[in-house]
Amino acid sequence: MRKILIISFLAGILGGLVACDQTKDSDQYTVKSLPGADAIQIQLSIERLDSSLFASTTPQQFKLWVDSHAAFVNNYFLKNGLQDSTQLLTELYRRVNEPSLREFYKQTQASFGNFDTLSSELTTAFKNMKAYDSSFKVPRIQLAFSGFLGSDLIVSDSVIIIGLDYFLGSKAKFRPDVYGYQMWRYNPKALVPQILFVLSEQYAKNNPQDQTMLSEMINYGKGYVFAQTMLPQTPDSLLIGYTGRQLAETKIAQDLVWGHFIDNKLLYETNPNKWIKYLGDRPQTPEIGPRCPGSIGRWLGWQIVRYYEMNNPNVSLQELMKNQNARQILESSKYWGQAEQ
């Protein structure tokens, strides 16, 4: 019976891709806070640059706003295609006074409310990161809204800039210029998990001499595990962008997915042109089957890291993140495409 289900998955008997927000978030892995995290006190600073910008009405007020936020303007706008501050002033004045954009801006309240959820999630995440790394410094959070004039998300060790206009979900008046299958990452619920995935890069060590696909797969797996640990109970769907149905089908079919990687000698493939088929941002992985979701190599790397944690309970997350030996992680994971019992 299980083989019949797997063949159905690969043969594409069921319908096409379903938008992520049409399916409930699934596969919620409950992870307790790191030891000591609850006792940690942090100062979280969220600066509402969006509201101060939309409070401006005259050219003079816009110039004052730009001059008062010089560092932000340089990072968010001038490095994103605009030539100079004069051009920026003209464009901001035009956009903010456009009725349709002001109506679009009102949707931030429907999607984020008073930002209590965002603040709570970031506080939980940063407490866990401080428990994980005592030297971690909480970055400032700046919120922007400009009708896609700036970036969607900028993450550094000192400041995180969030373009709220990108993260209003599929029901927003306007949407980012991306493919439909990429809209999952602009779900408001996916915002903080993605921030954490980016922050994981400073801790996930890899061997620069190891240019195999397995090494890249393991790095993705480390990032996903790190993000779920820093923000407990984060559903898989908010990290990798699979629907609940895709996650369920992929779990059922994982022995055939694994078999495809083994039969085609993909784990130790060093050609980046082949990597992109399995690690790249695609709606599907037709090389395996029409129902196989894209980025399947990332998901497979995630399973390897999960099995490594499960079968090596004495290895801390810090030790896992520092482990540069992808082959050793694979072998110690004891994963070969089997589902968890």
Side-chain angles (χ1 to χ4, degrees), residues 19 27 43 78 83 94 101 120 124 128-129 148 153 172 176 185 199 237 269 284 289 306 313 317 319 327 338 340:
D27 270 10
Q43 294 295 321
L78 299 185
Q83 299 302 312
R94 183 187 70 80
L101 185 66
S120 176
T124 296
N128 277 314
M129 289 195 68
F148 310 122
L153 185 63
R185 64 172 58 96
L199 290 174
S237 54
E269 177 60 62
Q284 298 165 310
R306 278 178 167 162
L317 179 61
E319 291 171 323
R327 184 163 191 160
Q338 77 277 25
E340 293 182 35

Side-chain angles (χ1 to χ4, degrees), residues 84-125:
D84 53 44
S85 57
T86 301
Q87 181 186 9
L88 173 62
L89 280 169
T90 301
E91 190 61 23
L92 285 176
Y93 179 78
R94 183 187 70 80
R95 289 183 179 226
V96 173
N97 285 289
E98 171 64 41
S100 61
L101 185 66
R102 299 191 75 88
E103 189 66 27
F104 180 33
Y105 177 58
K106 290 180 181 178
Q107 289 191 295
T108 58
Q109 190 68 26
S111 295
F112 288 97
N114 55 8
F115 294 93
D116 280 354
T117 299
L118 176 65
S119 177
S120 176
E121 290 183 349
L122 287 171
T123 298
T124 296

Side-chain angles (χ1 to χ4, degrees), residues 145-156:
F145 193 105
S146 60
F148 310 122
L149 187 61
S151 301
D152 52 357
L153 185 63
I154 298 175
V155 179
S156 73

Side-chain angles (χ1 to χ4, degrees), residues 78-285:
L78 299 185
K79 289 183 179 179
N80 202 45
L82 292 174
Q83 299 302 312
D84 53 44
S85 57
T86 301
Q87 181 186 9
L88 173 62
L89 280 169
T90 301
E91 190 61 23
L92 285 176
Y93 179 78
R94 183 187 70 80
R95 289 183 179 226
V96 173
N97 285 289
E98 171 64 41
S100 61
L101 185 66
R102 299 191 75 88
E103 189 66 27
F104 180 33
Y105 177 58
K106 290 180 181 178
Q107 289 191 295
T108 58
Q109 190 68 26
S111 295
F112 288 97
N114 55 8
F115 294 93
D116 280 354
T117 299
L118 176 65
S119 177
S120 176
E121 290 183 349
L122 287 171
T123 298
T124 296
F126 292 158
K127 281 186 174 185
N128 277 314
M129 289 195 68
K130 192 74 173 175
Y132 175 87
D133 173 14
S134 61
S135 67
F136 172 73
K137 291 181 172 55
V138 177
R140 292 180 297 125
I141 310 298
Q142 294 180 321
L143 306 182
F145 193 105
S146 60
F148 310 122
L149 187 61
S151 301
D152 52 357
L153 185 63
I154 298 175
V155 179
S156 73
D157 57 359
S158 60
V159 63
I160 295 173
I161 304 175
I162 301 169
L164 295 173
D165 34 356
Y166 288 88
F167 293 95
L168 302 186
S170 61
K171 295 181 180 179
K173 182 179 179 65
F174 301 105
R175 299 186 189 182
D177 186 18
V178 298
Y179 293 108
Y181 72 89
Q182 296 172 317
M183 274 300 296
W184 69 268
R185 64 172 58 96
Y186 297 112
N187 178 341
K189 295 179 181 179
L191 175 56
V192 176
Q194 289 182 85
I195 290 173
L196 292 168
F197 181 81
V198 176
L199 290 174
S200 75
E201 293 177 5
Q202 62 188 301
Y203 301 110
K205 306 302 180 183
N206 67 319
N207 180 1
Q209 304 304 315
D210 186 349
Q211 298 296 311
T212 64
M213 190 187 302
L214 175 64
S215 178
E216 287 296 301
M217 291 164 59
I218 295 296
N219 275 344
Y220 275 109
K222 287 180 179 179
Y224 294 142
V225 165
F226 181 91
Q228 279 190 321
T229 304
M230 297 306 126
L231 188 62
Q233 302 183 18
T234 298
D236 288 13
S237 54
L238 297 185
L239 281 168
I240 199 167
Y242 291 0
T243 65
R245 177 180 292 176
Q246 287 174 320
L247 285 167
E249 292 176 355
T250 302
K251 278 193 168 185
I252 292 172
Q254 64 185 298
D255 58 346
L256 289 192
V257 172
W258 177 254
H260 177 89
F261 273 70
I262 298 303
D263 293 344
N264 291 277
K265 299 179 173 59
L266 294 174
L267 294 180
Y268 299 102
E269 177 60 62
T270 59
N271 184 349
N273 292 326
K274 289 188 178 180
W275 292 8
I276 198 68
K277 296 178 181 178
Y278 301 94
L279 297 173
D281 193 10
R282 305 169 75 196
Q284 298 165 310
T285 308

Side-chain angles (χ1 to χ4, degrees), residues 60-80:
Q60 293 78 14
Q61 288 174 329
F62 279 96
K63 186 176 188 310
L64 178 61
W65 186 90
V66 168
D67 292 343
S68 301
H69 303 94
F72 166 80
V73 166
N74 184 60
N75 287 332
Y76 191 67
F77 291 120
L78 299 185
K79 289 183 179 179
N80 202 45

Side-chain angles (χ1 to χ4, degrees), residues 36-50:
D38 292 338
I40 292 175
Q41 299 296 317
I42 66 168
Q43 294 295 321
L44 180 66
S45 171
I46 298 182
E47 189 176 3
R48 293 291 307 275
L49 297 179
D50 59 315

